[in-house]
Amino acid sequence: MPYDPSAFPHFAVTVDLVVLTVRRHALCALAVRRGEPPYPGRWALPGGFVRADEDLAAAAARELEEETGLRAHAPSQPALPNAAHLEQLATYGDPQRDPRMRVVSVAHLALAPDLPAPRAGGDAHSVRWAPVDDLLDQDTAFRHDAEVSAPLAFDHARILADGVERARSKIEYSSLATAFCPQEFTVGELRRVYEAVWGVALDPRNFHRKVTGTPGFLVPTGGTTTRQGGRPAQLFRAGGATVLNPPMLRPEV
Amino acid sequence: MPYDPSAFPHFAVTVDLVVLTVRRHALCALAVRRGEPPYPGRWALPGGFVRADEDLAAAAARELEEETGLRAHAPSQPALPNAAHLEQLATYGDPQRDPRMRVVSVAHLALAPDLPAPRAGGDAHSVRWAPVDDLLDQDTAFRHDAEVSAPLAFDHARILADGVERARSKIEYSSLATAFCPQEFTVGELRRVYEAVWGVALDPRNFHRKVTGTPGFLVPTGGTTTRQGGRPAQLFRAGGATVLNPPMLRPEV
DNA sequence: GATCATAGTCGTCTTCCTGACGATAATCAG
DNA sequence: CTGATTATCGTCAGGAAGACGACTATGATC
């Protein structure tokens, strides 16, 4: 096929990952500390170059596995152990976003259950889960937790904010919140996911009525657990339903 | 800034446009006929290469204006005449999607009011509005309208389908349907937009109650019109509200 | 000019869903 | 045994939506 390679500009293409999980009642994102310029020592989202013969989704899945050990699952394969939800988020291509060269980044959003510990690629201190509120808080100059005292590198604060907003809105009308839970979970655990992602308190009784009354959302496994304390709670798996109609309503204030 | 240009692969980056409008009770998309290989003679979405110093949104706005004369308006400037809603849709980067080379396409979605006629770049026959159902119908071999008898070039059928689905879902919970209307419009005209985009019939009385009862959605201009026949209808402009809560419900079947 | 078709607008009624919240059940820590 | 904690069921009032009747104001037709 004839074409003229000089007839159009060349770009580097990367994938960046917004990997979210819920830890200790807080929505957290995976952050890596940069070792090299630009922005050495600053925290950034994990990511990397797309390879010459690699699809965008494949590149995102590869980066996710390299950083966390998590496998991405396609919508068709819903219940692998250690599998995370992965979807494309948006693409960022401001000409000035990387001082080195023209880079277009295709950001992806991954939602994962709480993991024992982030698997560092090599240096255990170079990757961590950080509460998104800390990462996005611009006014961190006087925080005593120096680990997150500078804003994210590049335009990653913007990307993270977009990913968080996507997650917040998407759990309203889809069953995506179950992606934050282990394979078997209780209604209370699912409720705490909503509470952490939205930053609100939900009425346990109304929440229970809503999720157990939506056909196909939850299927009971028969087991119970007391891992949250209190009365034993029924265990559920995510049902086949992917859309939630009518949606879960996010409280106003 | 030191870097090694051979350390990562180079890509061509394009923007492709899904430009939607409502004409004669049908949801239509802008299609251009390709003159050169690959896929000569086939219909495709408008689009083109991103320039070396151009932001993605700017490239999409430039292509939109080149093809239609429409200006894109940012969310801050809601009511320019001849302005269309423009937003990023998704990015497509399958290594095989263009047989010539590795091309990553950042697709954008534009919603426009019905236009008098598509402004061709040069050849008036090379650009047209086509009903999306015709463009997406794979089984067009025996249609007598030969103009749309072949599937769209590249992966543009997939992109168009994604754009249509985005529009269909987004008018549920936002005031985006007004982007398909002229600056002043009636409740009935707005209802016909929903009916065309969703392909359903809506009850005029319930629709009227819903849209006029949602604060900030519509503001009356004081005028009336009989351009639809029948009793004169009040004219409205789009109000400041961008989200629709509770949403407009799309009928089940 | 009377009649009719068309489109717009206002109400009513029933049903469903939600938010608020009382009450009961089953565990663990002392 | 008592209290704290969490889970689960039930009740009630208010709001929103679907179904649909009724009326209004125009242009078209006879």
Side-chain angles (χ1 to χ4, degrees):
Chain A
M1 302 290 174
Y3 70 99
D4 178 5
S6 65
F8 49 86
H10 292 200
F11 296 75
V13 176
T14 61
V15 289
D16 285 324
L17 292 179
V18 176
V19 190
L20 300 180
T21 194
V22 174
R23 318 194 88 197
R24 291 177 291 126
H25 280 224
L27 183 64
C28 296
L30 198 64
V32 300
R33 202 203 290 271
R34 290 187 57 79
E36 302 180 3
Y39 307 105
R42 292 268 284 279
W43 291 95
L45 299 177
F49 289 109
V50 177
R51 295 177 181 166
D53 255 315
E54 190 177 43
D55 189 22
L56 301 174
R62 172 177 56 77
E63 292 286 343
L64 179 65
E65 181 154 15
E66 286 176 9
E67 297 288 346
T68 66
L70 288 166
R71 298 252 290 278
H73 65 227
S76 53
Q77 178 68 23
L80 277 176
N82 255 26
H85 170 89
L86 182 63
E87 66 178 48
Q88 196 187 103
L89 176 59
T91 300
Y92 302 83
D94 187 292
Q96 315 298 330
R97 65 179 295 277
D98 189 316
R100 295 168 295 181
M101 55 188 164
R102 186 72 198 267
V103 179
V104 166
S105 174
V106 183
H108 287 68
L109 175 66
L111 308 184
D114 193 6
L115 301 173
R119 187 182 91 177
D123 178 3
H125 293 291
S126 65
V127 54
R128 70 181 290 237
W129 293 108
V132 296
D133 290 341
D134 292 356
L135 290 173
L136 291 176
D137 190 355
Q138 298 296 334
D139 190 18
T140 50
F142 300 102
R143 293 179 47 81
H144 55 264
D145 181 358
E147 284 198 290
V148 288
S149 62
L152 289 171
F154 304 107
D155 52 0
H156 287 187
R158 164 91 186 285
I159 298 176
L160 175 60
D162 290 348
V164 168
E165 181 49 38
R166 170 82 65 95
R168 282 185 175 148
S169 66
K170 208 156 179 182
I171 64 174
E172 286 188 60
Y173 56 89
S174 78
S175 61
L176 211 52
T178 59
F180 287 113
C181 295
Q183 271 200 281
E184 296 198 346
F185 54 90
T186 70
V187 173
E189 288 165 348
L190 184 62
R191 175 170 50 82
R192 279 180 279 276
V193 165
Y194 276 91
E195 291 178 333
V197 175
W198 284 345
V200 298
L202 299 175
D203 185 289
R205 298 155 291 188
N206 293 337
F207 184 87
H208 188 276
R209 176 183 60 192
K210 172 73 178 173
V211 295
T212 58
T214 300
F217 189 16
L218 299 181
V219 290
T221 65
T224 61
T225 182
T226 66
R227 61 182 172 227
Q228 297 291 335
R231 169 176 166 180
Q234 268 188 284
L235 284 169
F236 295 88
R237 285 185 295 103
T242 58
V243 294
L244 211 51
N245 197 4
M248 181 84 59
L249 293 182
R250 176 159 31 163
E252 292 294 317
V253 185
Chain B
M1 302 290 172
Y3 71 100
D4 177 5
S6 66
F8 49 86
H10 292 201
F11 295 75
V13 176
T14 61
V15 290
D16 285 323
L17 293 179
V18 176
V19 190
L20 299 180
T21 195
V22 174
R23 316 195 89 195
R24 289 177 291 127
H25 281 223
L27 183 63
C28 296
L30 199 64
V32 299
R33 203 202 290 271
R34 291 187 58 79
E36 302 179 5
Y39 307 105
R42 293 268 285 278
W43 292 94
L45 300 177
F49 290 108
V50 177
R51 296 178 180 166
D53 254 317
E54 190 178 42
D55 190 22
L56 301 175
R62 173 177 55 77
E63 292 286 343
L64 178 66
E65 181 156 14
E66 287 175 9
E67 298 288 344
T68 67
L70 287 166
R71 298 253 290 280
H73 65 228
S76 52
Q77 180 67 22
L80 278 175
N82 256 26
H85 171 88
L86 182 62
E87 66 178 47
Q88 195 187 102
L89 176 59
T91 300
Y92 301 83
D94 186 293
Q96 314 300 329
R97 65 180 295 278
D98 189 317
R100 295 169 295 180
M101 54 188 164
R102 186 72 199 268
V103 179
V104 167
S105 174
V106 184
H108 286 69
L109 175 67
L111 308 184
D114 192 7
L115 301 173
R119 187 182 92 178
D123 179 2
H125 292 291
S126 65
V127 53
R128 69 180 290 238
W129 293 107
V132 295
D133 290 340
D134 292 356
L135 290 172
L136 291 176
D137 190 354
Q138 299 296 333
D139 190 18
T140 50
F142 300 103
R143 292 180 48 82
H144 55 264
D145 181 358
E147 284 199 290
V148 288
S149 62
L152 288 171
F154 304 107
D155 53 359
H156 288 186
R158 163 91 187 285
I159 299 176
L160 175 59
D162 290 348
V164 168
E165 180 49 38
R166 169 83 65 94
R168 283 185 175 147
S169 67
K170 208 156 178 180
I171 65 173
E172 286 190 62
Y173 56 89
S174 78
S175 61
L176 210 54
T178 59
F180 287 113
C181 294
Q183 270 201 281
E184 297 199 345
F185 53 89
T186 69
V187 172
E189 288 165 349
L190 184 62
R191 174 170 50 82
R192 279 181 280 275
V193 164
Y194 277 90
E195 292 178 334
V197 174
W198 283 345
V200 298
L202 299 175
D203 185 288
R205 297 156 290 189
N206 293 336
F207 184 87
H208 189 277
R209 176 182 60 190
K210 172 72 176 173
V211 296
T212 58
T214 301
F217 189 16
L218 299 182
V219 290
T221 66
T224 61
T225 183
T226 65
R227 62 182 171 229
Q228 297 292 338
R231 170 176 165 179
Q234 269 190 284
L235 284 169
F236 294 87
R237 284 185 295 104
T242 57
V243 294
L244 211 50
N245 198 0
M248 182 84 59
L249 293 182
R250 177 159 28 164
E252 292 295 315
V253 185

